[in-house]
Amino acid sequence: MQPILRALHVEKYFGAFQALKDVSLLVSRGEVVCIIGPSGSGKSTLLRCISQLESIDGGVITVEDEIAGFRRDGDTLVPLSDARIAAQRQRVGMVFQRFNLFPHRSVLQNLMEGPVRVQKRPAGECRAEAVALLDRVGLAEKASAYPNELSGGQQQRVAIARALAMRPKILLFDEPTSALDPELVGEVLSVMKELARSGMTMMVVTHEIAFCREVADRVIFMDGGAIIAAGTPDEMIVRPTNPRVANFISAVL
């Protein structure tokens, strides 16, 4: 499959602390990649660099063969303008641990905000698409509700629909169920499973090992800012051969 995302020798520092160490990976169109590992291993930082919420300090990231944050001028990489970076970001959707919905806007308005104001698409078209997306995540009846009237699981499903409303090429999930009460986790994972079945390209940072085993095409294990191992769910979860991965899976399960 043709890679939609390439991360090559990516490095990221926060002061003297190196959060990402020579991280390289390819993600194919339609692939579901789950990223697991201990807290502080660089998983969320990697997603934030891919979405250009954080700048990288070494290496290169490309989405659909376009270099994130830069353009090539001969052998030199020239930083893009803020406007061009904002345009690039639209191809990468991001779903966070905390839902980050606009509290003063209705569910429907939350979905329409980006497509209308950022992408300058017709309001009628955006409304129709937003209604369809709410139906897709099982919240058609909540279009006029406000975020504080929803459960955490419902808010996260709205956040997923809002990300989809921007028509991203790849959707990133940063521990999307970690802030939810246990009884609400399943409704969010069900939506994510449907997205995976539909062919959405997804990168998911998660501790939901059963979800990884069921849905992922590939599982990546990170520790200390580096990719330690990668493979199929069977290779990484059912029969891990890397001792560090085996210990982690045993502890989580």
Side-chain angles (χ1 to χ4, degrees), residues 34 216-221 229-236:
C34 285
D217 297 299
R218 189 156 42 105
V219 177
I220 290 172
F221 183 85
T232 67
D234 276 355
E235 293 168 338
M236 296 293 290

Side-chain angles (χ1 to χ4, degrees), residues 78-115:
V78 180
L80 294 177
S81 66
D82 290 344
R84 184 60 196 139
I85 289 174
Q88 285 188 340
R89 283 189 182 128
Q90 295 176 35
R91 294 181 301 180
V92 180
M94 186 86 166
V95 179
F96 301 88
Q97 297 178 36
R98 299 288 177 177
F99 325 116
N100 292 352
L101 300 176
F102 299 121
H104 60 294
R105 297 192 181 278
S106 70
V107 165
L108 188 65
Q109 289 169 336
N110 264 277
L111 266 66
M112 293 178 61
E113 182 80 7

Side-chain angles (χ1 to χ4, degrees), residues 4-5 27-33 93 168-173 195-196 198-203:
I4 188 172
L5 169 74
V27 178
S28 297
R29 196 177 302 275
E31 188 177 18
V32 178
V33 176
K169 302 298 184 181
I170 182 170
L171 197 53
L172 312 180
F173 294 83
L195 288 176
S198 74
M200 186 76 203
T201 308
M202 298 163 59
M203 293 183 68

Side-chain angles (χ1 to χ4, degrees), residues 213-231:
R213 183 177 177 183
E214 179 181 350
V215 177
D217 297 299
R218 189 156 42 105
V219 177
I220 290 172
F221 183 85
M222 292 187 69
D223 195 11
I227 294 177
I228 302 301

Side-chain angles (χ1 to χ4, degrees), residues 113-143:
E113 182 80 7
V116 171
R117 292 185 176 271
V118 178
Q119 296 180 332
K120 308 300 183 184
R121 288 161 48 197
E125 171 190 296
C126 295
R127 176 180 290 273
E129 190 167 319
V131 169
L133 285 170
L134 287 175
D135 184 60
R136 184 176 182 180
V137 301
L139 292 172
E141 77 284 0
K142 298 294 186 180

Side-chain angles (χ1 to χ4, degrees), residues 17-37:
F17 174 70
Q18 188 171 6
L20 295 177
K21 303 173 183 177
D22 195 27
V23 172
S24 293
L25 63 89
L26 304 179
V27 178
S28 297
R29 196 177 302 275
E31 188 177 18
V32 178
V33 176
C34 285
I35 307 175
I36 62 174

